[in-house]
């Protein structure tokens, strides 16, 4: 009697589990979602800087700037980067570490950021090396625009200060093309269970 009761109870429990199981339709298309792969990106940049203080204006009103830009996306809305810059006329060089907050995740992503590093202004009025060199700081706003899966444009408007003897200041516009491997984002299939 007990054995029969145990068999019946086991059958009821097993049947209730099967009856509650969700129907799985394998012919449904899987959901796709976009996932960031925490990429590293590097590329060349070009831009213009316009002098704001008189000492820098005496050297030139505007400077042509070339850069090598790098970025690492380490969180969903945060980028960390390094820019190595060279401006002409003169041999004006610098390097800045940047931290960006990126708004959105689409093909068009505005951002704001701050940078800090070292700047060297090649001005003949500065007689000593120490007068030309200083800690540099930058604040900027810009946007990323996806061109392909592996490349995007970075446009930004920076305001830069070099803490040398004359506190040289400039504002500008720069454009960089950054190439990333693995792709900046990828689509993965998310199956419904």
């Amino acid at each position: 009697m007990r054995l029969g009761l145990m068999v019946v109870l086991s059958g009821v429990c097993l049947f209730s589990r099967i009856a509650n199981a969700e129907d799985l339709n394998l012919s449904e298309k899987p959901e796709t979602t976009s996932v960031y792969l925490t990429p590293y990106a590097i590329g060349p940049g070009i831009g213009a800087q316009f002098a704001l203080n008189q000492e820098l204006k005496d050297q030139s009103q505007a400077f042509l700037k070339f850069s090598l830009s790098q970025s690492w996306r380490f969180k969903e809305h945060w980028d960390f980067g390094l820019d190595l810059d060279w401006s002409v006329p003169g041999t004006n060089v610098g390097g800045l570490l940047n931290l960006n907050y990126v708004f959105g995740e689409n093909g068009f992503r505005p951002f704001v950021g701050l940078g800090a590093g070292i700047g060297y202004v090649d001005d003949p009025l500065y007689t000593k090396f120490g007068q030309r060199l200083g800690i540099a700081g930058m604040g900027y706003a810009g946007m990323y625009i996806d061109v392909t899966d592996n490349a995007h444009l970075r446009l930004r408007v920076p305001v830069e200060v070099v803490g040398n003897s004359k506190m040289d200041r400039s504002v500008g516009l720069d454009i960089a093309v950054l190439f990333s491997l693995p792709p900046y984002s990828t689509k993965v299939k998310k199956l419904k269970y």
Side-chain angles (χ1 to χ4, degrees):
M1 174 88 173
R2 280 187 164 178
L3 183 59
L5 186 59
M6 293 290 279
V7 169
V8 169
L9 281 175
S10 297
V12 168
C13 289
L14 182 63
F15 180 73
S16 68
R17 286 302 239 179
I18 292 172
N20 288 335
E22 185 180 334
D23 265 348
L24 183 61
N25 184 355
L26 296 177
S27 65
E28 280 186 21
K29 290 188 176 179
E31 225 179 272
T32 59
T33 185
S34 184
V35 175
Y36 287 97
L37 298 179
T38 316
Y40 166 75
I42 186 169
I46 190 167
Q49 289 179 281
F50 303 96
L52 294 178
N53 62 306
Q54 191 57 50
E55 292 82 6
L56 196 57
K57 284 181 183 178
D58 291 342
Q59 184 183 357
S60 179
Q61 292 283 331
F63 297 85
L64 179 62
K65 181 169 89 171
F66 302 98
S67 7
L68 177 64
S69 301
Q70 304 173 60
S71 73
W72 297 270
R73 175 159 259 190
F74 64 94
K75 286 202 174 206
E76 186 176 353
H77 293 284
W78 292 95
D79 285 347
F80 179 74
L82 170 67
D83 285 329
L84 302 173
D85 300 325
W86 174 58
S87 301
V88 292
T91 307
N92 307 300
V93 294
L96 291 163
L97 293 172
N98 307 309
L99 183 63
N100 304 332
Y101 182 79
V102 182
F103 302 94
E105 300 175 10
N106 301 327
F108 170 80
R109 297 174 305 283
F111 65 86
V112 293
L114 296 172
I118 295 177
Y120 175 83
V121 179
D122 185 17
D123 190 331
L125 297 176
Y126 303 159
T127 56
K128 296 180 184 172
F129 179 80
Q131 291 178 313
R132 301 175 183 194
L133 185 69
I135 294 174
M138 183 190 304
Y140 50 84
M143 67 187 85
Y144 290 117
I145 301 170
D146 288 348
V147 179
T148 68
D149 285 343
N150 296 339
H152 56 274
L153 286 175
R154 183 192 72 187
L155 308 169
R156 69 180 183 180
V157 176
V159 177
E160 186 174 359
V161 176
V162 178
N164 55 18
S165 61
K166 304 292 184 183
M167 291 296 290
D168 288 325
R169 298 174 302 281
S170 65
V171 64
L173 172 67
D174 60 50
I175 301 168
V177 181
L178 301 173
F179 301 95
S180 61
L181 289 174
Y184 197 79
S185 64
T186 187
K187 296 212 183 256
V188 278
K189 293 182 178 178
K190 183 177 170 186
L191 293 173
K192 292 180 184 177
Y193 293 102

